[in-house]
Amino acid sequence: MALQGLRRTISLFRTRAALGLSPAMAPIVLYVPLGMLLGPMGAGILSPRILGHLDAVISIALATLGLFIGIAAATQGGERKRLLVASSAEAAVTMTVVAGAIFFLLGTWGIPLSLEPRIVAVALGVCAAASAAPPITAGDEQARRIAARVADLDDVLPILAGAFVVATLSSVGMPALLGVLAPIGIGLALAAAGWLLFEHSEGAERGVYVLGIIALLGGCAAYLSVSPLLAGMAAGWLWALTSGHTDAVVRRELRKVQHPLILLLLIAAGASLEVSTAGIWLFAPYVVFRVAGKLMGGWFASRMAPGVAPSDLGAYLVSPGVIGIAFALNLDQVTPGMAPLVFAVSIGAVASEIVAVIVVPPRPQPQPA
Amino acid sequence: MSAPAPDSRPDVPAGQEGRRGRETRLLLATIAISVAVLVLLARFRFPDQVDPVENPAPAPLERLAARATYDELAAIMADLERRLAPRLVVVQVQPDRPGGQYAIAARMTPNRAVVHLAPHETLGQSHAGYLPILGRDKTLDIAVLSVPEAADATVTPATTPVRPGPRYLAVVEANPQGPVIRPVYAGRTDLLQDPRTSSPLLSIAALQQALPRGAAVFTLNGNFLGLAADGGASATVIPADVLLAAAESARTVEETRGDIGVDVQPLTPGLSRATGAERGVVVSYVHRGGPAAGLLDTGDVILSVGGTAVSTPADFQQVVQSRSPGSQTAVGVMRRGKQIEVPITVRDATSAPQPSPQEDDPGLVMRFVPDLGVEIVSVRPGSAAARADLAAGDIILRLNGVAAPTPSALLNAYRQLPAQGALLLAVQRGADHRAVALER
């Protein structure tokens, strides 16, 4: 019996390994703990002073992530509108489940937080709503491909909601609505400027322009204390819709810096962690209710887009990806007192990756010839 | 939204039926687990930041008890402050020293208050003006002061003996703005026999906050325990019954009022212009053989006594009376337009030779009429004035040939008369004018 259980567990690891993401080697599972080891809680190589200098780079990384999401949202293939609605519904259900449960528990527990419980609950809901589907391969089934598209599209609503939370918490003092419109305006303006530059340049020069525009996106958003994710998403969306091949150009140029930036983001998140009693208390319900929210949201979305979204969509979306951590880091940049939230989200993301190993449907075994 | 039946969905790829069932089961299980987890987690309470010191009381009860105690104490203090403020007087101690101190005087009787005052210490002003010292007990370092009469404003001495053990006490300290009350936790209170008093002193040990010397100590009921004889983390309190006895017997035990042997009159605008002083009191007479004889002169303007400014004769009398007999006090004087400071040794007013009315007082109550002279307000029967047939309403126009004399000039001239001497007065009574001899 025990041997059978062991075999089953090993098969799960094999499944993940077949995807190229064995649990032990998934980016979050590896680099968040590595950041903890390098950060002030560990070896102290990434001191608080260095982390302060990395703030600008983190903003650029957030803008880059937003850019990819914007391009992906605008360039989805068939059934794009139905999938966008279904994905947003799935994200809304997840946000509601997590935020509602956390808000209820915060009221019951009486955790002393420097922010209002409703703000913390909504922020955790936004972080939980993002998801990353397992990578797909050429031979993957349709359900897995659709899940990957939903995983891209279900980040749109959380980015908008996250921008609203950032605007609410921002110390700049602009109205919340303006705090949401400002990054959109920044993204569209810089995207328009970038489009003119990219169309009339090529080679290394174009690469410099792309990186410059991305740096401007992140820098402007950080300067105004608005969401760089939304600024990047607006820019990516515009580039994907304009004539020419701007989106392809940008994607090609950013591919060179994408992985280092995400790596830096995860390490910075790990190094920024502060172990606190409040963070530990938030971590467990965050993981539990995020999984529940994803499964409920997936079930709901599959009924909204029957025939398009797979019926077990939610199970594919349990893997959180880096977007949730990016949200938490963004909120931590905007306002102090987010340390318990960053801890719960980052450690929760690691735990969710491990839960995803169990929940994500296995690939069907190839039929013998 | 209701899900369509699996059979009505031709677009569902074959082989996904099992998955749908699996996903639904997973969803239901997740919902059930989530609700169970929610109910379970809601039963916990986030740990409070509690004091590391172990306490057998449960945390919620401990917090409740602590809050109730402090709220209760605050209410008691507010009530005591309201009740005790009229029963206490703040007096200045050592006013001639920079940064003078203040002490609390407790009203033991309607017109007497007791303050802790060392023999070398002097009193300055209080909120009720200058309070003359009626008596001092130099063994206990207390002084009995005369205070304005207030029948219902006396402290209530604690009659029941204080039991030993920890307790809260209400301590009233002196502040320039008035009495200040605060609760003080005393770890132990004991009765201490002392040969100086018939009643035992109250010893307070392990005080949470140090007591200032001379502070008034009350129970939380507002009963007066006594005055702190010494300050610090442990203090001795002179009990209220000892203070009450001292207050009641002050005049019979010791009558010490300071005196420097001068009479004064107010500084009128004319005298101000004549002397060049803007404030103070004018010396109208210097007693022969008195402490000020040879040091002060008639016409000098006394500006201050012992560093305390004086503006009226009443001020002057009260300040001088508060000086300790035998002590030397610096009297600030304006003499012929120059300010000088004259050291004068204060004598006991009760031991000073009292001039008999026949010797120094002609028996007149007068008021000055500018440019005319002195109008007689009343005449004491049997006095020198009555013998000279002076009557109320008479106006003295000239004194020894000098026109328009002042009342003080007349008094001084009378006091300086030799025995059997006489003053020559020109008196107007109605429309009549006559000469009168005022004989001593």
Side-chain angles (χ1 to χ4, degrees):
Chain A
M1 192 73 175
L3 189 63
Q4 197 176 1
L6 183 64
R7 276 181 187 166
R8 188 172 297 164
T9 306
I10 291 171
S11 72
L12 289 171
F13 279 74
R14 278 178 184 158
T15 306
R16 291 291 287 170
L19 294 172
L21 280 173
S22 76
M25 294 301 287
I28 291 177
V29 175
L30 182 65
Y31 292 113
V32 170
L34 179 65
M36 288 178 73
L37 290 175
L38 296 176
M41 284 202 321
I45 296 169
L46 290 176
S47 64
R49 188 162 160 267
I50 294 175
L51 287 173
H53 291 314
L54 284 179
D55 266 359
V57 184
I58 290 171
S59 294
I60 294 169
L62 295 176
T64 308
L65 280 174
L67 196 65
F68 279 118
I69 292 165
I71 292 174
T75 56
Q76 290 284 349
E79 302 284 354
R80 186 171 66 88
K81 285 183 182 172
R82 287 180 70 192
L83 270 184
L84 181 62
V85 171
S87 305
S88 298
E90 176 267 315
V93 169
T94 307
M95 273 196 284
T96 306
V97 168
V98 174
I102 296 288
F103 183 70
F104 171 74
L105 290 175
L106 285 177
T108 310
W109 288 343
I111 293 184
L113 295 166
S114 57
L115 297 168
E116 289 181 44
R118 60 191 172 93
I119 297 286
V120 174
V122 171
L124 280 171
V126 168
C127 295
S131 52
I136 51 174
T137 56
D140 270 337
E141 57 193 323
Q142 181 70 5
R144 197 172 292 269
R145 291 176 180 279
I146 293 291
R149 290 174 63 188
V150 169
D152 283 338
L153 291 171
D154 74 353
D155 294 335
V156 175
L157 184 67
I159 285 178
L160 285 168
F164 187 79
V165 175
V166 168
T168 306
L169 295 175
S170 169
S171 57
V172 174
M174 67 173 71
L177 183 62
L178 187 61
V180 176
L181 295 177
I184 295 175
I186 292 168
L188 295 178
L190 289 174
W195 176 67
L196 292 173
L197 288 170
F198 303 156
E199 287 297 308
H200 297 92
S201 58
E202 48 185 39
E205 187 185 26
R206 190 157 59 184
V208 172
Y209 285 148
V210 170
L211 293 179
I213 292 293
I214 299 298
L216 272 175
L217 278 170
C220 287
Y223 180 75
L224 294 174
S225 291
V226 295
S227 169
L229 280 163
L230 183 55
M233 190 174 80
W237 178 80
L238 185 65
W239 282 333
L241 293 184
T242 49
S243 59
H245 304 285
T246 313
D247 57 329
V249 168
V250 171
R251 234 189 305 208
R252 189 168 58 246
E253 294 295 336
L254 285 184
R255 201 167 292 143
K256 299 169 188 170
V257 294
Q258 172 191 358
H259 293 292
L261 282 177
I262 289 174
L263 185 90
L264 188 68
L265 193 77
L266 293 176
I267 289 179
S272 303
L273 292 187
E274 294 175 24
V275 178
S276 63
T277 316
I280 292 169
W281 276 59
L282 288 172
F283 150 74
Y286 174 78
V287 174
V288 170
F289 294 107
R290 184 183 176 279
V291 172
K294 280 291 167 193
L295 292 178
M296 289 181 212
W299 184 91
F300 194 66
S302 67
R303 270 65 185 173
M304 284 185 74
V308 180
S311 61
D312 53 355
L313 176 64
Y316 289 100
L317 305 175
V318 170
S319 179
V322 296
I323 303 291
I325 295 176
F327 277 133
L329 280 178
N330 190 197
L331 292 172
D332 194 38
Q333 282 181 325
V334 171
T335 184
M338 279 289 177
L341 186 138
V342 175
F343 179 87
V345 171
S346 300
I347 302 299
V350 175
S352 297
E353 283 288 356
I354 295 170
V355 172
V357 173
I358 303 166
V359 174
V360 171
R363 276 191 166 83
Q365 296 297 319
Q367 296 295 323
Chain B
M1 180 182 291
S2 61
D7 294 342
S8 64
R9 292 178 57 188
D11 52 341
V12 173
Q16 288 202 0
E17 294 297 329
R19 278 191 184 182
R20 189 183 302 116
R22 174 181 179 270
E23 194 253 355
T24 304
R25 284 197 303 275
L26 192 61
L27 174 69
L28 291 175
T30 305
I31 291 172
I33 291 170
S34 301
V35 171
V37 167
L38 196 65
V39 171
L40 182 70
L41 290 177
R43 297 173 68 87
F44 291 94
R45 281 279 304 165
F46 190 75
D48 294 296
Q49 302 296 321
V50 293
D51 197 314
V53 177
E54 287 185 12
N55 193 319
L61 290 180
E62 184 190 348
R63 287 200 307 277
L64 187 66
R67 186 160 49 244
T69 301
Y70 280 111
D71 288 349
E72 196 179 322
L73 267 181
I76 289 171
M77 290 302 120
D79 181 54
L80 280 181
E81 188 173 31
R82 181 181 54 77
R83 284 166 50 199
L84 296 180
R87 292 166 167 78
L88 301 167
V89 181
V90 173
V91 291
Q92 195 178 12
V93 181
Q94 301 286 66
D96 44 347
R97 290 190 182 174
Q101 304 157 359
Y102 293 85
I104 282 286
R107 286 174 174 271
M108 304 306 298
T109 68
N111 57 1
R112 293 179 189 184
V114 180
V115 64
H116 189 276
L117 195 70
H120 65 277
E121 289 178 326
T122 56
L123 282 185
Q125 278 206 345
S126 73
H127 288 154
Y130 289 101
L131 303 177
I133 296 176
L134 298 177
R136 298 179 82 139
D137 186 331
K138 292 171 183 170
T139 58
L140 289 173
D141 289 351
I142 57 173
V144 180
L145 311 179
S146 174
V147 292
E149 184 93 14
D152 299 328
T154 59
V155 295
T156 308
T159 50
T160 52
V162 178
R163 62 172 174 78
R167 66 189 57 250
Y168 271 106
L169 300 170
V171 173
V172 184
E173 300 168 27
N175 186 284
Q177 280 73 44
V180 178
I181 191 166
R182 62 181 167 93
V184 169
Y185 180 79
R188 185 174 175 83
T189 51
D190 291 298
L191 295 176
L192 189 71
Q193 292 298 335
D194 190 288
R196 296 175 297 172
T197 61
S198 55
S199 301
L201 303 182
L202 181 65
S203 169
I204 307 176
L207 285 164
Q208 184 190 24
Q209 294 166 298
L211 287 191
R213 188 173 64 91
V217 183
F218 291 83
T219 64
L220 294 189
N221 293 330
N223 292 330
F224 184 46
L225 286 172
L227 294 174
D230 44 23
S234 61
T236 308
V237 173
I238 303 168
D241 53 348
V242 172
L243 300 175
L244 180 61
E248 288 174 338
S249 61
R251 279 198 183 281
T252 57
V253 172
E254 190 178 6
E255 189 81 27
T256 53
R257 283 186 294 164
D259 177 49
I260 60 171
V262 295
D263 292 346
V264 295
Q265 66 179 74
L267 182 67
T268 61
L271 288 171
S272 173
R273 283 192 294 275
T275 58
E278 295 179 351
R279 59 174 179 79
V281 291
V282 182
V283 176
S284 58
Y285 178 67
V286 180
H287 292 274
R288 281 169 288 184
L295 299 172
L296 297 181
D297 202 358
T298 303
D300 286 348
V301 179
I302 297 177
L303 305 173
S304 64
V305 176
T308 304
V310 292
S311 300
T312 65
D315 282 357
F316 171 77
Q317 292 298 338
Q318 287 174 335
V319 174
V320 170
Q321 285 180 6
S322 71
R323 305 288 113 175
S324 301
S327 65
Q328 196 172 63
T329 188
V331 179
V333 175
M334 173 78 82
R335 180 178 291 166
R336 289 186 285 279
K338 288 184 178 176
Q339 278 194 29
I340 57 171
E341 201 163 77
V342 181
I344 297 176
T345 303
V346 179
R347 72 178 176 186
D348 187 353
T350 55
S351 63
Q354 296 295 316
S356 67
Q358 289 75 19
E359 285 179 357
D360 271 4
D361 185 5
L364 287 171
V365 176
M366 302 170 278
R367 71 182 184 91
F368 180 62
V369 181
D371 301 327
L372 196 62
V374 176
E375 182 184 358
I376 297 172
V377 177
S378 69
V379 177
R380 192 176 66 235
S383 64
R387 288 196 300 274
D389 195 24
L390 292 173
D394 290 353
I395 297 173
I396 300 169
L397 302 173
R398 299 178 80 88
L399 167 63
N400 288 341
V402 178
T406 63
S408 58
L410 192 151
L411 282 174
N412 286 335
Y414 181 81
R415 285 166 180 167
Q416 291 179 10
L417 280 176
Q420 309 302 318
L423 295 176
L424 181 59
L425 309 177
V427 178
Q428 178 185 339
R429 179 177 293 171
D432 296 338
H433 292 81
R434 65 192 178 104
V436 173
L438 183 61
E439 295 177 282
R440 182 154 185 163

